[in-house]
Amino acid sequence: MALLGVVALPVAPAAAADGSCTEQRTGPVYVQQRSPVLDQMGVASVWKLATGRGVTVAIVDSGIDVGNAHLAADRVVRPGKSLLPAVDGWTPDPTARNDLSGHGTAVASLVAGRAVDGSGQIGLARDATLVPVQVFGVASTEGTSDDRLKALTPTTPRLAEGIRAAVDLGAKVVNVSMSGETPDPVLGAAVEYATGKGALVVASAGDRGSTPNAKDGLRYPAAFRGVVSVTSVDQSRAVDTAANIQGDHITAAAVGQGLNAALGHLGDCLLSGAPATSFATPLVAATAALLAERYPEEGPALWKYRIEASAQRPRAGVKDAAVGWGVVSPYDALTMTLDPNRPGPAMPGHPAPPTPEPPAAVGPVVLESDPALGPRQVGLWIAFGAVAAAAGLRLVQVLRRRSESEGEQAPVGVPDRGERG
């Protein structure tokens, strides 16, 4: 029995009937619409400064399906590493260039998917090189009695090994669209290893997803020191507290909804439904890749600082539990002047700038509709996206428009809202 079949994504359909992520497909379908957030970010100006060329981004996830035209083998996706065992009916590719669930493929395309005729899908770091590290095949076995799948679910040791492998494969940016509640020291050591080798880990801060009553609080590896911890906002850049975990570990946000992403080997589709950190995280990882190209000498600490210090937020000097330091702004991250007195996070090597007293009462956090108009389970995981139907999984699913004239063997769990989970 084959474990991988036609991809079907149980998420709310996109506005257009064609190319929705719920349709059954037997061949590739392409959606002409580009992810609106790319234009809101002002990519025409961003790509004049950096496209990710020469930078390797590791996708520590479910693998990458190189049968998708956006993610061709060798040209886009280098040989990576699979940490999964073979099971009856499915064998992993040792180079991790196959994908049982489709989640890693969607994530990868948001980082560095290449343009395809007739499609609007393209990654923010459109010229970056990708390397897959396969740490799970299916997000959970919920809803299926197939015991074979248990060996393919995420574990903390496997995720930690995957982060190390990513760096050993030459990655300067490591995307981890997964999260768990346990601060496992093995996982923390893997993050330290990555940082020590000059790589920046970008990880999802957690969704409620399949556990809607999950409590707010720290999620890992996002909450480890040195990690950019990413939450998601909707297409209007507003916080959805019913969808996303809140907590002091959050350092940045990005749109996690309405994105054009690769759908297995079957083209692409528009991800709708609630905003998902699985899909917000690769936009931030892509921003890190742009910075690694433009400022290779700065390293992970300053790349992280640029992302957070330049993010769009309601109050310049205030970090909160909903969006951290704010919604990522690639152009500003690429062009900002390093200044230890800039309101916001502390610049590496400098004390934190003064923090203003918070107001007596704070309303819901909603960013401006157009930022350009304002001042510049214990171990339950995964802020996921798309999931293969035959595996019994779910795949659910800034910024500012800028004028072009401006020059995861302990069981680790189930997918969060970002599931493809």
Side-chain angles (χ1 to χ4, degrees), residues 51-60 64 66 70-80 97 107-114 123-133 166 169-175 285-286 288-290 292-293:
T51 61
R53 187 178 301 277
V55 179
T56 297
V57 180
I59 308 298
V60 182
I64 299 176
V66 295
H70 294 293
L71 299 162
D74 300 325
R75 185 171 72 90
V76 184
V77 184
R78 283 177 36 206
R97 293 189 291 186
V107 168
S109 69
L110 295 172
V111 175
R114 298 307 199 259
L124 174 58
R126 65 183 190 188
D127 291 327
T129 299
L130 300 173
V131 60
V133 181
L169 286 164
K172 286 300 180 183
V173 180
V174 182
N175 186 100
L290 301 176
E293 177 193 356

mmCIF file of all heavy atoms in Angstrom, residues 51-60 64 66 70-80 97 107-114 123-133 166 169-175 285-286 288-290 292-293:
data_model
loop_
_atom_site.group_PDB
_atom_site.id
_atom_site.type_symbol
_atom_site.label_atom_id
_atom_site.label_comp_id
_atom_site.label_asym_id
_atom_site.label_seq_id
_atom_site.Cartn_x
_atom_site.Cartn_y
_atom_site.Cartn_z
ATOM 1 N N THR A 51 18.776 38.751 -3.079
ATOM 2 C CA THR A 51 17.816 37.712 -3.468
ATOM 3 C C THR A 51 18.114 36.383 -2.783
ATOM 4 O O THR A 51 17.447 35.384 -3.050
ATOM 5 C CB THR A 51 17.845 37.494 -5.000
ATOM 6 O OG1 THR A 51 19.162 37.070 -5.389
ATOM 7 C CG2 THR A 51 17.449 38.768 -5.738
ATOM 8 N N GLY A 52 19.127 36.352 -1.932
ATOM 9 C CA GLY A 52 19.515 35.113 -1.268
ATOM 10 C C GLY A 52 20.569 34.332 -2.017
ATOM 11 O O GLY A 52 20.964 33.241 -1.577
ATOM 12 N N ARG A 53 21.051 34.854 -3.124
ATOM 13 C CA ARG A 53 22.040 34.135 -3.930
ATOM 14 C C ARG A 53 23.291 33.800 -3.113
ATOM 15 O O ARG A 53 23.836 34.646 -2.403
ATOM 16 C CB ARG A 53 22.435 34.972 -5.149
ATOM 17 C CG ARG A 53 23.334 34.222 -6.143
ATOM 18 C CD ARG A 53 23.641 35.091 -7.346
ATOM 19 N NE ARG A 53 22.424 35.504 -8.033
ATOM 20 C CZ ARG A 53 21.778 34.755 -8.923
ATOM 21 N NH1 ARG A 53 22.240 33.542 -9.203
ATOM 22 N NH2 ARG A 53 20.693 35.211 -9.528
ATOM 23 N N GLY A 54 23.725 32.553 -3.211
ATOM 24 C CA GLY A 54 24.923 32.114 -2.517
ATOM 25 C C GLY A 54 24.699 31.682 -1.082
ATOM 26 O O GLY A 54 25.650 31.259 -0.413
ATOM 27 N N VAL A 55 23.462 31.788 -0.598
ATOM 28 C CA VAL A 55 23.149 31.423 0.794
ATOM 29 C C VAL A 55 22.376 30.107 0.822
ATOM 30 O O VAL A 55 21.424 29.924 0.051
ATOM 31 C CB VAL A 55 22.320 32.522 1.483
ATOM 32 C CG1 VAL A 55 21.984 32.134 2.920
ATOM 33 C CG2 VAL A 55 23.077 33.844 1.454
ATOM 34 N N THR A 56 22.783 29.194 1.689
ATOM 35 C CA THR A 56 22.090 27.911 1.843
ATOM 36 C C THR A 56 21.163 27.966 3.047
ATOM 37 O O THR A 56 21.580 28.313 4.156
ATOM 38 C CB THR A 56 23.093 26.756 2.021
ATOM 39 O OG1 THR A 56 23.885 26.653 0.833
ATOM 40 C CG2 THR A 56 22.366 25.435 2.249
ATOM 41 N N VAL A 57 19.895 27.645 2.810
ATOM 42 C CA VAL A 57 18.887 27.602 3.867
ATOM 43 C C VAL A 57 18.459 26.152 4.058
ATOM 44 O O VAL A 57 18.050 25.485 3.098
ATOM 45 C CB VAL A 57 17.655 28.452 3.517
ATOM 46 C CG1 VAL A 57 16.610 28.384 4.640
ATOM 47 C CG2 VAL A 57 18.056 29.893 3.248
ATOM 48 N N ALA A 58 18.561 25.637 5.272
ATOM 49 C CA ALA A 58 18.128 24.269 5.577
ATOM 50 C C ALA A 58 16.659 24.263 5.964
ATOM 51 O O ALA A 58 16.204 25.107 6.743
ATOM 52 C CB ALA A 58 18.956 23.669 6.705
ATOM 53 N N ILE A 59 15.911 23.307 5.402
ATOM 54 C CA ILE A 59 14.514 23.107 5.756
ATOM 55 C C ILE A 59 14.451 21.834 6.592
ATOM 56 O O ILE A 59 14.481 20.716 6.070
ATOM 57 C CB ILE A 59 13.625 22.970 4.502
ATOM 58 C CG1 ILE A 59 13.872 24.156 3.543
ATOM 59 C CG2 ILE A 59 12.159 22.874 4.892
ATOM 60 C CD1 ILE A 59 13.532 25.512 4.110
ATOM 61 N N VAL A 60 14.439 22.000 7.921
ATOM 62 C CA VAL A 60 14.398 20.859 8.841
ATOM 63 C C VAL A 60 12.934 20.509 9.033
ATOM 64 O O VAL A 60 12.219 21.153 9.804
ATOM 65 C CB VAL A 60 15.085 21.202 10.170
ATOM 66 C CG1 VAL A 60 15.077 20.001 11.117
ATOM 67 C CG2 VAL A 60 16.524 21.646 9.910
ATOM 68 N N ILE A 64 11.691 17.629 0.969
ATOM 69 C CA ILE A 64 11.257 18.504 -0.114
ATOM 70 C C ILE A 64 11.000 17.648 -1.350
ATOM 71 O O ILE A 64 11.860 16.858 -1.760
ATOM 72 C CB ILE A 64 12.310 19.578 -0.441
ATOM 73 C CG1 ILE A 64 12.575 20.481 0.782
ATOM 74 C CG2 ILE A 64 11.857 20.430 -1.623
ATOM 75 C CD1 ILE A 64 13.682 21.498 0.567
ATOM 76 N N VAL A 66 11.160 17.295 -4.893
ATOM 77 C CA VAL A 66 11.818 17.970 -6.010
ATOM 78 C C VAL A 66 11.110 17.686 -7.334
ATOM 79 O O VAL A 66 11.547 18.164 -8.386
ATOM 80 C CB VAL A 66 13.312 17.571 -6.099
ATOM 81 C CG1 VAL A 66 14.056 18.068 -4.870
ATOM 82 C CG2 VAL A 66 13.465 16.054 -6.266
ATOM 83 N N HIS A 70 8.821 24.253 -8.951
ATOM 84 C CA HIS A 70 9.375 25.378 -8.204
ATOM 85 C C HIS A 70 10.642 24.995 -7.451
ATOM 86 O O HIS A 70 11.382 25.867 -7.001
ATOM 87 C CB HIS A 70 8.361 25.896 -7.189
ATOM 88 C CG HIS A 70 7.130 26.502 -7.779
ATOM 89 N ND1 HIS A 70 7.153 27.673 -8.504
ATOM 90 C CD2 HIS A 70 5.824 26.091 -7.756
ATOM 91 C CE1 HIS A 70 5.916 27.980 -8.887
ATOM 92 N NE2 HIS A 70 5.096 27.033 -8.454
ATOM 93 N N LEU A 71 10.868 23.689 -7.273
ATOM 94 C CA LEU A 71 11.903 23.205 -6.374
ATOM 95 C C LEU A 71 12.741 22.107 -7.033
ATOM 96 O O LEU A 71 12.918 21.015 -6.497
ATOM 97 C CB LEU A 71 11.268 22.684 -5.077
ATOM 98 C CG LEU A 71 10.485 23.744 -4.280
ATOM 99 C CD1 LEU A 71 9.547 23.079 -3.276
ATOM 100 C CD2 LEU A 71 11.440 24.699 -3.573
ATOM 101 N N ALA A 72 13.266 22.404 -8.184
ATOM 102 C CA ALA A 72 14.001 21.407 -8.950
ATOM 103 C C ALA A 72 15.255 20.934 -8.217
ATOM 104 O O ALA A 72 15.952 21.715 -7.558
ATOM 105 C CB ALA A 72 14.390 21.996 -10.308
ATOM 106 N N ALA A 73 15.536 19.634 -8.363
ATOM 107 C CA ALA A 73 16.746 19.056 -7.770
ATOM 108 C C ALA A 73 17.978 19.735 -8.341
ATOM 109 O O ALA A 73 18.018 20.138 -9.516
ATOM 110 C CB ALA A 73 16.799 17.556 -8.049
ATOM 111 N N ASP A 74 18.974 19.881 -7.487
ATOM 112 C CA ASP A 74 20.272 20.443 -7.836
ATOM 113 C C ASP A 74 20.208 21.945 -8.153
ATOM 114 O O ASP A 74 20.948 22.720 -7.570
ATOM 115 C CB ASP A 74 20.917 19.677 -9.003
ATOM 116 C CG ASP A 74 21.141 18.209 -8.663
ATOM 117 O OD1 ASP A 74 21.436 17.925 -7.487
ATOM 118 O OD2 ASP A 74 21.000 17.360 -9.561
ATOM 119 N N ARG A 75 19.337 22.360 -9.047
ATOM 120 C CA ARG A 75 19.253 23.782 -9.375
ATOM 121 C C ARG A 75 18.779 24.601 -8.185
ATOM 122 O O ARG A 75 19.258 25.718 -7.968
ATOM 123 C CB ARG A 75 18.319 24.001 -10.554
ATOM 124 C CG ARG A 75 18.257 25.440 -11.041
ATOM 125 C CD ARG A 75 17.499 25.553 -12.342
ATOM 126 N NE ARG A 75 16.061 25.356 -12.165
ATOM 127 C CZ ARG A 75 15.203 26.335 -11.907
ATOM 128 N NH1 ARG A 75 15.641 27.582 -11.752
ATOM 129 N NH2 ARG A 75 13.922 26.091 -11.784
ATOM 130 N N VAL A 76 17.845 24.042 -7.407
ATOM 131 C CA VAL A 76 17.299 24.742 -6.247
ATOM 132 C C VAL A 76 17.587 23.976 -4.960
ATOM 133 O O VAL A 76 17.978 24.571 -3.948
ATOM 134 C CB VAL A 76 15.772 24.935 -6.384
ATOM 135 C CG1 VAL A 76 15.225 25.748 -5.216
ATOM 136 C CG2 VAL A 76 15.418 25.581 -7.705
ATOM 137 N N VAL A 77 17.407 22.665 -5.004
ATOM 138 C CA VAL A 77 17.495 21.824 -3.802
ATOM 139 C C VAL A 77 18.706 20.905 -3.867
ATOM 140 O O VAL A 77 18.760 19.966 -4.665
ATOM 141 C CB VAL A 77 16.209 20.997 -3.622
ATOM 142 C CG1 VAL A 77 16.277 20.213 -2.311
ATOM 143 C CG2 VAL A 77 14.977 21.898 -3.626
ATOM 144 N N ARG A 78 19.684 21.183 -3.047
ATOM 145 C CA ARG A 78 20.872 20.331 -2.931
ATOM 146 C C ARG A 78 20.534 19.035 -2.209
ATOM 147 O O ARG A 78 19.565 18.982 -1.451
ATOM 148 C CB ARG A 78 21.945 21.052 -2.124
ATOM 149 C CG ARG A 78 22.712 22.127 -2.848
ATOM 150 C CD ARG A 78 23.682 22.789 -1.887
ATOM 151 N NE ARG A 78 24.251 21.824 -0.939
ATOM 152 C CZ ARG A 78 24.715 22.154 0.273
ATOM 153 N NH1 ARG A 78 24.644 23.396 0.700
ATOM 154 N NH2 ARG A 78 25.226 21.234 1.056
ATOM 155 N N PRO A 79 21.348 17.994 -2.386
ATOM 156 C CA PRO A 79 21.147 16.771 -1.593
ATOM 157 C C PRO A 79 21.249 17.085 -0.106
ATOM 158 O O PRO A 79 22.171 17.784 0.334
ATOM 159 C CB PRO A 79 22.294 15.857 -2.037
ATOM 160 C CG PRO A 79 22.654 16.340 -3.408
ATOM 161 C CD PRO A 79 22.446 17.839 -3.366
ATOM 162 N N GLY A 80 20.281 16.602 0.651
ATOM 163 C CA GLY A 80 20.273 16.812 2.093
ATOM 164 C C GLY A 80 20.451 15.499 2.830
ATOM 165 O O GLY A 80 21.231 14.642 2.409
ATOM 166 N N ARG A 97 15.122 14.283 -0.515
ATOM 167 C CA ARG A 97 14.435 14.975 -1.591
ATOM 168 C C ARG A 97 13.177 14.207 -2.022
ATOM 169 O O ARG A 97 12.932 13.984 -3.200
ATOM 170 C CB ARG A 97 15.397 15.243 -2.756
ATOM 171 C CG ARG A 97 16.480 16.241 -2.351
ATOM 172 C CD ARG A 97 17.337 16.707 -3.494
ATOM 173 N NE ARG A 97 18.193 15.642 -4.010
ATOM 174 C CZ ARG A 97 19.125 15.843 -4.943
ATOM 175 N NH1 ARG A 97 19.322 17.061 -5.449
ATOM 176 N NH2 ARG A 97 19.861 14.850 -5.363
ATOM 177 N N VAL A 107 6.785 24.740 2.881
ATOM 178 C CA VAL A 107 7.677 25.642 3.608
ATOM 179 C C VAL A 107 8.842 26.072 2.720
ATOM 180 O O VAL A 107 9.179 27.260 2.618
ATOM 181 C CB VAL A 107 8.174 24.957 4.889
ATOM 182 C CG1 VAL A 107 9.333 25.736 5.519
ATOM 183 C CG2 VAL A 107 7.033 24.810 5.896
ATOM 184 N N ALA A 108 9.449 25.094 2.046
ATOM 185 C CA ALA A 108 10.600 25.381 1.194
ATOM 186 C C ALA A 108 10.271 26.375 0.105
ATOM 187 O O ALA A 108 11.063 27.286 -0.198
ATOM 188 C CB ALA A 108 11.121 24.077 0.584
ATOM 189 N N SER A 109 9.086 26.230 -0.493
ATOM 190 C CA SER A 109 8.723 27.124 -1.595
ATOM 191 C C SER A 109 8.573 28.561 -1.142
ATOM 192 O O SER A 109 8.839 29.492 -1.904
ATOM 193 C CB SER A 109 7.426 26.646 -2.255
ATOM 194 O OG SER A 109 6.300 26.822 -1.395
ATOM 195 N N LEU A 110 8.153 28.757 0.094
ATOM 196 C CA LEU A 110 8.001 30.114 0.605
ATOM 197 C C LEU A 110 9.350 30.774 0.845
ATOM 198 O O LEU A 110 9.472 32.001 0.802
ATOM 199 C CB LEU A 110 7.162 30.108 1.877
ATOM 200 C CG LEU A 110 5.717 29.659 1.689
ATOM 201 C CD1 LEU A 110 5.018 29.498 3.038
ATOM 202 C CD2 LEU A 110 4.943 30.618 0.792
ATOM 203 N N VAL A 111 10.368 29.960 1.088
ATOM 204 C CA VAL A 111 11.712 30.507 1.235
ATOM 205 C C VAL A 111 12.310 30.826 -0.126
ATOM 206 O O VAL A 111 12.722 31.958 -0.383
ATOM 207 C CB VAL A 111 12.637 29.520 1.994
ATOM 208 C CG1 VAL A 111 14.074 30.069 2.020
ATOM 209 C CG2 VAL A 111 12.150 29.289 3.412
ATOM 210 N N ALA A 112 12.337 29.832 -1.011
ATOM 211 C CA ALA A 112 13.106 30.001 -2.240
ATOM 212 C C ALA A 112 12.514 29.296 -3.446
ATOM 213 O O ALA A 112 13.257 28.849 -4.324
ATOM 214 C CB ALA A 112 14.542 29.532 -2.011
ATOM 215 N N GLY A 113 11.187 29.188 -3.538
ATOM 216 C CA GLY A 113 10.585 28.626 -4.736
ATOM 217 C C GLY A 113 10.961 29.467 -5.949
ATOM 218 O O GLY A 113 10.990 30.688 -5.881
ATOM 219 N N ARG A 114 11.253 28.792 -7.052
ATOM 220 C CA ARG A 114 11.608 29.496 -8.280
ATOM 221 C C ARG A 114 10.376 29.784 -9.115
ATOM 222 O O ARG A 114 9.381 29.079 -9.058
ATOM 223 C CB ARG A 114 12.591 28.677 -9.107
ATOM 224 C CG ARG A 114 13.930 28.394 -8.438
ATOM 225 C CD ARG A 114 14.639 29.664 -7.925
ATOM 226 N NE ARG A 114 16.058 29.437 -7.708
ATOM 227 C CZ ARG A 114 16.641 29.214 -6.540
ATOM 228 N NH1 ARG A 114 15.904 29.192 -5.439
ATOM 229 N NH2 ARG A 114 17.945 29.034 -6.453
ATOM 230 N N GLY A 123 9.584 32.348 -3.983
ATOM 231 C CA GLY A 123 10.062 32.547 -2.627
ATOM 232 C C GLY A 123 10.591 33.947 -2.417
ATOM 233 O O GLY A 123 11.062 34.600 -3.357
ATOM 234 N N LEU A 124 10.547 34.397 -1.191
ATOM 235 C CA LEU A 124 11.077 35.719 -0.861
ATOM 236 C C LEU A 124 12.575 35.778 -1.121
ATOM 237 O O LEU A 124 13.085 36.781 -1.616
ATOM 238 C CB LEU A 124 10.762 36.054 0.602
ATOM 239 C CG LEU A 124 11.363 37.332 1.174
ATOM 240 C CD1 LEU A 124 10.935 38.558 0.369
ATOM 241 C CD2 LEU A 124 10.937 37.505 2.637
ATOM 242 N N ALA A 125 13.309 34.713 -0.772
ATOM 243 C CA ALA A 125 14.734 34.625 -1.103
ATOM 244 C C ALA A 125 14.843 33.768 -2.359
ATOM 245 O O ALA A 125 15.301 32.631 -2.338
ATOM 246 C CB ALA A 125 15.522 34.030 0.060
ATOM 247 N N ARG A 126 14.430 34.326 -3.475
ATOM 248 C CA ARG A 126 14.180 33.551 -4.691
ATOM 249 C C ARG A 126 15.416 32.888 -5.293
ATOM 250 O O ARG A 126 15.299 31.976 -6.104
ATOM 251 C CB ARG A 126 13.558 34.468 -5.748
ATOM 252 C CG ARG A 126 14.491 35.585 -6.205
ATOM 253 C CD ARG A 126 13.848 36.518 -7.192
ATOM 254 N NE ARG A 126 14.850 37.418 -7.772
ATOM 255 C CZ ARG A 126 14.553 38.437 -8.553
ATOM 256 N NH1 ARG A 126 13.285 38.703 -8.832
ATOM 257 N NH2 ARG A 126 15.510 39.186 -9.054
ATOM 258 N N ASP A 127 16.613 33.317 -4.932
ATOM 259 C CA ASP A 127 17.826 32.711 -5.466
ATOM 260 C C ASP A 127 18.624 31.924 -4.436
ATOM 261 O O ASP A 127 19.746 31.472 -4.717
ATOM 262 C CB ASP A 127 18.733 33.793 -6.072
ATOM 263 C CG ASP A 127 18.147 34.392 -7.343
ATOM 264 O OD1 ASP A 127 17.459 33.651 -8.085
ATOM 265 O OD2 ASP A 127 18.367 35.596 -7.587
ATOM 266 N N ALA A 128 18.092 31.747 -3.237
ATOM 267 C CA ALA A 128 18.787 30.971 -2.212
ATOM 268 C C ALA A 128 18.812 29.498 -2.595
ATOM 269 O O ALA A 128 17.993 29.009 -3.374
ATOM 270 C CB ALA A 128 18.117 31.154 -0.855
ATOM 271 N N THR A 129 19.770 28.765 -2.061
ATOM 272 C CA THR A 129 19.860 27.319 -2.235
ATOM 273 C C THR A 129 19.243 26.645 -1.027
ATOM 274 O O THR A 129 19.438 27.099 0.112
ATOM 275 C CB THR A 129 21.332 26.890 -2.382
ATOM 276 O OG1 THR A 129 21.892 27.529 -3.531
ATOM 277 C CG2 THR A 129 21.445 25.384 -2.538
ATOM 278 N N LEU A 130 18.491 25.573 -1.276
ATOM 279 C CA LEU A 130 17.827 24.857 -0.192
ATOM 280 C C LEU A 130 18.489 23.502 0.047
ATOM 281 O O LEU A 130 18.954 22.854 -0.895
ATOM 282 C CB LEU A 130 16.348 24.641 -0.514
ATOM 283 C CG LEU A 130 15.517 25.910 -0.735
ATOM 284 C CD1 LEU A 130 14.116 25.545 -1.224
ATOM 285 C CD2 LEU A 130 15.437 26.736 0.551
ATOM 286 N N VAL A 131 18.532 23.097 1.314
ATOM 287 C CA VAL A 131 18.996 21.754 1.657
ATOM 288 C C VAL A 131 17.992 21.165 2.651
ATOM 289 O O VAL A 131 17.734 21.743 3.699
ATOM 290 C CB VAL A 131 20.436 21.767 2.226
ATOM 291 C CG1 VAL A 131 20.534 22.603 3.501
ATOM 292 C CG2 VAL A 131 20.925 20.355 2.471
ATOM 293 N N PRO A 132 17.372 20.008 2.300
ATOM 294 C CA PRO A 132 16.367 19.416 3.193
ATOM 295 C C PRO A 132 16.989 18.477 4.224
ATOM 296 O O PRO A 132 17.929 17.736 3.921
ATOM 297 C CB PRO A 132 15.481 18.625 2.224
ATOM 298 C CG PRO A 132 16.418 18.212 1.129
ATOM 299 C CD PRO A 132 17.445 19.320 1.003
ATOM 300 N N VAL A 133 16.472 18.540 5.444
ATOM 301 C CA VAL A 133 16.812 17.578 6.487
ATOM 302 C C VAL A 133 15.493 16.993 6.961
ATOM 303 O O VAL A 133 14.661 17.702 7.532
ATOM 304 C CB VAL A 133 17.584 18.228 7.650
ATOM 305 C CG1 VAL A 133 17.934 17.183 8.700
ATOM 306 C CG2 VAL A 133 18.844 18.914 7.134
ATOM 307 N N ALA A 166 21.852 20.027 9.604
ATOM 308 C CA ALA A 166 21.644 21.170 8.715
ATOM 309 C C ALA A 166 22.885 22.041 8.642
ATOM 310 O O ALA A 166 23.311 22.470 7.555
ATOM 311 C CB ALA A 166 20.452 21.985 9.195
ATOM 312 N N LEU A 169 25.749 20.509 6.821
ATOM 313 C CA LEU A 169 25.538 20.538 5.376
ATOM 314 C C LEU A 169 25.765 21.926 4.783
ATOM 315 O O LEU A 169 25.531 22.148 3.595
ATOM 316 C CB LEU A 169 24.119 20.056 5.050
ATOM 317 C CG LEU A 169 23.884 18.544 5.196
ATOM 318 C CD1 LEU A 169 22.388 18.229 5.231
ATOM 319 C CD2 LEU A 169 24.573 17.781 4.072
ATOM 320 N N GLY A 170 26.178 22.853 5.604
ATOM 321 C CA GLY A 170 26.548 24.170 5.101
ATOM 322 C C GLY A 170 25.496 25.247 5.209
ATOM 323 O O GLY A 170 25.678 26.337 4.658
ATOM 324 N N ALA A 171 24.411 25.000 5.925
ATOM 325 C CA ALA A 171 23.358 26.003 6.026
ATOM 326 C C ALA A 171 23.793 27.178 6.892
ATOM 327 O O ALA A 171 24.386 26.997 7.961
ATOM 328 C CB ALA A 171 22.087 25.386 6.592
ATOM 329 N N LYS A 172 23.464 28.382 6.424
ATOM 330 C CA LYS A 172 23.663 29.580 7.220
ATOM 331 C C LYS A 172 22.371 30.002 7.906
ATOM 332 O O LYS A 172 22.389 30.767 8.873
ATOM 333 C CB LYS A 172 24.176 30.724 6.343
ATOM 334 C CG LYS A 172 25.632 30.574 5.948
ATOM 335 C CD LYS A 172 26.547 30.527 7.173
ATOM 336 C CE LYS A 172 27.998 30.368 6.829
ATOM 337 N NZ LYS A 172 28.854 30.252 8.050
ATOM 338 N N VAL A 173 21.240 29.500 7.405
ATOM 339 C CA VAL A 173 19.932 29.755 8.002
ATOM 340 C C VAL A 173 19.231 28.414 8.131
ATOM 341 O O VAL A 173 19.252 27.609 7.191
ATOM 342 C CB VAL A 173 19.079 30.712 7.147
ATOM 343 C CG1 VAL A 173 17.726 30.962 7.797
ATOM 344 C CG2 VAL A 173 19.821 32.035 6.931
ATOM 345 N N VAL A 174 18.620 28.149 9.287
ATOM 346 C CA VAL A 174 17.950 26.872 9.554
ATOM 347 C C VAL A 174 16.495 27.148 9.883
ATOM 348 O O VAL A 174 16.181 27.772 10.900
ATOM 349 C CB VAL A 174 18.614 26.115 10.721
ATOM 350 C CG1 VAL A 174 17.920 24.770 10.953
ATOM 351 C CG2 VAL A 174 20.106 25.911 10.453
ATOM 352 N N ASN A 175 15.591 26.729 8.982
ATOM 353 C CA ASN A 175 14.154 26.925 9.196
ATOM 354 C C ASN A 175 13.567 25.715 9.915
ATOM 355 O O ASN A 175 13.668 24.582 9.444
ATOM 356 C CB ASN A 175 13.450 27.115 7.854
ATOM 357 C CG ASN A 175 11.983 27.461 8.018
ATOM 358 O OD1 ASN A 175 11.586 28.627 7.931
ATOM 359 N ND2 ASN A 175 11.130 26.464 8.244
ATOM 360 N N ALA A 285 12.790 33.291 7.743
ATOM 361 C CA ALA A 285 14.027 32.609 7.356
ATOM 362 C C ALA A 285 14.549 33.159 6.034
ATOM 363 O O ALA A 285 15.765 33.329 5.850
ATOM 364 C CB ALA A 285 13.788 31.104 7.250
ATOM 365 N N ALA A 286 13.633 33.457 5.114
ATOM 366 C CA ALA A 286 14.048 34.041 3.842
ATOM 367 C C ALA A 286 14.662 35.420 4.051
ATOM 368 O O ALA A 286 15.654 35.779 3.395
ATOM 369 C CB ALA A 286 12.848 34.131 2.902
ATOM 370 N N ALA A 288 16.271 36.337 6.657
ATOM 371 C CA ALA A 288 17.610 36.060 7.176
ATOM 372 C C ALA A 288 18.579 35.712 6.044
ATOM 373 O O ALA A 288 19.752 36.115 6.063
ATOM 374 C CB ALA A 288 17.556 34.928 8.191
ATOM 375 N N ALA A 289 18.085 34.980 5.035
ATOM 376 C CA ALA A 289 18.937 34.635 3.900
ATOM 377 C C ALA A 289 19.332 35.878 3.107
ATOM 378 O O ALA A 289 20.473 35.997 2.631
ATOM 379 C CB ALA A 289 18.217 33.636 3.001
ATOM 380 N N LEU A 290 18.405 36.800 2.961
ATOM 381 C CA LEU A 290 18.730 38.064 2.289
ATOM 382 C C LEU A 290 19.824 38.807 3.045
ATOM 383 O O LEU A 290 20.764 39.348 2.447
ATOM 384 C CB LEU A 290 17.480 38.931 2.183
ATOM 385 C CG LEU A 290 16.284 38.355 1.421
ATOM 386 C CD1 LEU A 290 15.091 39.313 1.508
ATOM 387 C CD2 LEU A 290 16.639 38.068 -0.032
ATOM 388 N N ALA A 292 22.020 37.458 5.091
ATOM 389 C CA ALA A 292 23.267 36.693 5.024
ATOM 390 C C ALA A 292 24.004 36.956 3.708
ATOM 391 O O ALA A 292 25.237 36.939 3.665
ATOM 392 C CB ALA A 292 22.979 35.210 5.180
ATOM 393 N N GLU A 293 23.238 37.218 2.658
ATOM 394 C CA GLU A 293 23.878 37.580 1.384
ATOM 395 C C GLU A 293 24.483 38.973 1.447
ATOM 396 O O GLU A 293 25.633 39.191 1.062
ATOM 397 C CB GLU A 293 22.863 37.523 0.248
ATOM 398 C CG GLU A 293 23.458 37.958 -1.094
ATOM 399 C CD GLU A 293 22.422 38.221 -2.173
ATOM 400 O OE1 GLU A 293 21.209 38.002 -1.934
ATOM 401 O OE2 GLU A 293 22.831 38.663 -3.272
#
